[in-house]
Amino acid sequence: MSRIKYVYGNWKMNQGLKEIETFFEELSENQKDWKCVFGIAPQFLHLPKLLNSTQNMNVKVGAQNCSHKESGAFTGDISPASLKELGCDFVIIGHSERRAFFKESHEVINEKTKLALSLGLEVVFCIGETLEQREAGKVEEVLKEQITKGLEGLSAKDLENVVIAYEPVWAIGTGVTATPEQAEETHAMIRSFLDSETAFEATTTSILYGGSVKPSNVEGLLSNENIDGALVGGASLKAKDFNALCEEASKLS
Ligand code: PGA
């Protein structure tokens, strides 16, 4: 079964207004013809600017997080309803930096996911093990728990709008990438788990890989049967690299 490839850029807390302008000046003219799905998640503050800059493009725009509540007394939080109203296409939920620095639990991740889906946002649901967990032989156990608890209570229909992003924590921002074989093996395990133990339609579910993806390693990763794209941090910040990633994903789509 061939699934369309994705390239989603997670800009994290990077890119000032000037860098964003340069990025769009340098984004390839070829983007009109790219066959892959591609998108960017900037800082919240820059979402209106991105939505405006991408009006005539196919690029999807997403948020890096959202509140677990729609509205109310949650100082400093961002309502997923407002993200939808603004025109966002997707939201990243459960990124390892949110889990580690902001202590997000499976329960809160589950609430956020349910709410975002109910409001019509696509959810990029992140999972991944730490180096310690990998070395202790717990990859499967950790990923299955993240999926089971984070996506509890969602129907097959809800799950159609969920993209899974497998991001080994030890590969994020470190320059160390999982080998294509390691990544493919884990993706195949995830897909088989989705198929046998969850309500996912596993053959049509997109499972992206994240963790130090760059133009030089993207082909090796994305040419695997179960790797449907990349969630990219560092290499998505420069248009030249983002262009190269999308060109490659397009060829493989
Ligand atoms: P990286 O980040 O590509 O810089 O490793 C990936 C991510 O955190 O989504």
Side-chain angles (χ1 to χ4, degrees), residues 10-15 43 64:
N10 172 11
W11 281 358
K12 309 191 179 182
M13 204 169 67
N14 296 304
Q15 306 282 67
Q43 299 182 51
Q64 299 170 13

mmCIF file of all heavy atoms in Angstrom, residues 10-15 43 64:
data_model
loop_
_atom_site.group_PDB
_atom_site.id
_atom_site.type_symbol
_atom_site.label_atom_id
_atom_site.label_comp_id
_atom_site.label_asym_id
_atom_site.label_seq_id
_atom_site.Cartn_x
_atom_site.Cartn_y
_atom_site.Cartn_z
ATOM 1 N N ASN A 10 8.719 21.603 12.295
ATOM 2 C CA ASN A 10 8.398 22.096 13.641
ATOM 3 C C ASN A 10 9.452 23.141 13.978
ATOM 4 O O ASN A 10 10.592 22.801 14.285
ATOM 5 C CB ASN A 10 8.447 20.907 14.628
ATOM 6 C CG ASN A 10 8.315 21.355 16.075
ATOM 7 O OD1 ASN A 10 7.997 22.509 16.353
ATOM 8 N ND2 ASN A 10 8.571 20.434 16.993
ATOM 9 N N TRP A 11 9.054 24.408 13.887
ATOM 10 C CA TRP A 11 10.032 25.482 14.081
ATOM 11 C C TRP A 11 10.363 25.711 15.556
ATOM 12 O O TRP A 11 11.254 26.483 15.872
ATOM 13 C CB TRP A 11 9.524 26.770 13.436
ATOM 14 C CG TRP A 11 9.712 26.808 11.943
ATOM 15 C CD1 TRP A 11 10.314 25.856 11.166
ATOM 16 C CD2 TRP A 11 9.330 27.857 11.042
ATOM 17 N NE1 TRP A 11 10.330 26.254 9.859
ATOM 18 C CE2 TRP A 11 9.722 27.467 9.745
ATOM 19 C CE3 TRP A 11 8.668 29.085 11.201
ATOM 20 C CZ2 TRP A 11 9.498 28.272 8.622
ATOM 21 C CZ3 TRP A 11 8.444 29.893 10.082
ATOM 22 C CH2 TRP A 11 8.850 29.484 8.808
ATOM 23 N N LYS A 12 9.625 25.073 16.449
ATOM 24 C CA LYS A 12 9.851 25.235 17.901
ATOM 25 C C LYS A 12 9.898 26.733 18.246
ATOM 26 O O LYS A 12 9.203 27.519 17.630
ATOM 27 C CB LYS A 12 11.113 24.480 18.324
ATOM 28 C CG LYS A 12 11.101 23.032 17.823
ATOM 29 C CD LYS A 12 12.168 22.169 18.416
ATOM 30 C CE LYS A 12 12.016 20.756 17.849
ATOM 31 N NZ LYS A 12 12.972 19.816 18.396
ATOM 32 N N MET A 13 10.742 27.117 19.224
ATOM 33 C CA MET A 13 10.767 28.530 19.607
ATOM 34 C C MET A 13 11.892 29.244 18.844
ATOM 35 O O MET A 13 12.780 29.853 19.426
ATOM 36 C CB MET A 13 10.948 28.658 21.121
ATOM 37 C CG MET A 13 10.411 29.971 21.677
ATOM 38 S SD MET A 13 10.352 29.962 23.478
ATOM 39 C CE MET A 13 12.065 29.919 23.920
ATOM 40 N N ASN A 14 11.825 29.121 17.499
ATOM 41 C CA ASN A 14 12.841 29.710 16.623
ATOM 42 C C ASN A 14 12.159 30.573 15.571
ATOM 43 O O ASN A 14 10.947 30.557 15.449
ATOM 44 C CB ASN A 14 13.625 28.592 15.908
ATOM 45 C CG ASN A 14 14.400 27.738 16.883
ATOM 46 O OD1 ASN A 14 15.209 28.239 17.652
ATOM 47 N ND2 ASN A 14 14.130 26.444 16.887
ATOM 48 N N GLN A 15 12.937 31.272 14.795
ATOM 49 C CA GLN A 15 12.524 32.110 13.658
ATOM 50 C C GLN A 15 11.865 33.416 14.115
ATOM 51 O O GLN A 15 10.739 33.436 14.595
ATOM 52 C CB GLN A 15 11.516 31.394 12.719
ATOM 53 C CG GLN A 15 11.907 30.046 12.171
ATOM 54 C CD GLN A 15 12.889 30.086 11.029
ATOM 55 O OE1 GLN A 15 14.026 30.473 11.235
ATOM 56 N NE2 GLN A 15 12.471 29.663 9.859
ATOM 57 N N GLN A 43 5.933 29.423 15.914
ATOM 58 C CA GLN A 43 5.482 29.837 17.252
ATOM 59 C C GLN A 43 4.051 30.377 17.114
ATOM 60 O O GLN A 43 3.687 30.930 16.081
ATOM 61 C CB GLN A 43 6.366 30.969 17.776
ATOM 62 C CG GLN A 43 7.824 30.614 17.919
ATOM 63 C CD GLN A 43 8.621 31.784 18.489
ATOM 64 O OE1 GLN A 43 8.247 32.346 19.507
ATOM 65 N NE2 GLN A 43 9.711 32.144 17.840
ATOM 66 N N GLN A 64 2.102 24.158 17.571
ATOM 67 C CA GLN A 64 3.014 23.193 18.213
ATOM 68 C C GLN A 64 2.432 22.573 19.475
ATOM 69 O O GLN A 64 3.036 21.699 20.095
ATOM 70 C CB GLN A 64 4.336 23.888 18.570
ATOM 71 C CG GLN A 64 5.066 24.441 17.368
ATOM 72 C CD GLN A 64 6.239 25.324 17.757
ATOM 73 O OE1 GLN A 64 6.661 25.344 18.906
ATOM 74 N NE2 GLN A 64 6.758 26.069 16.804
#
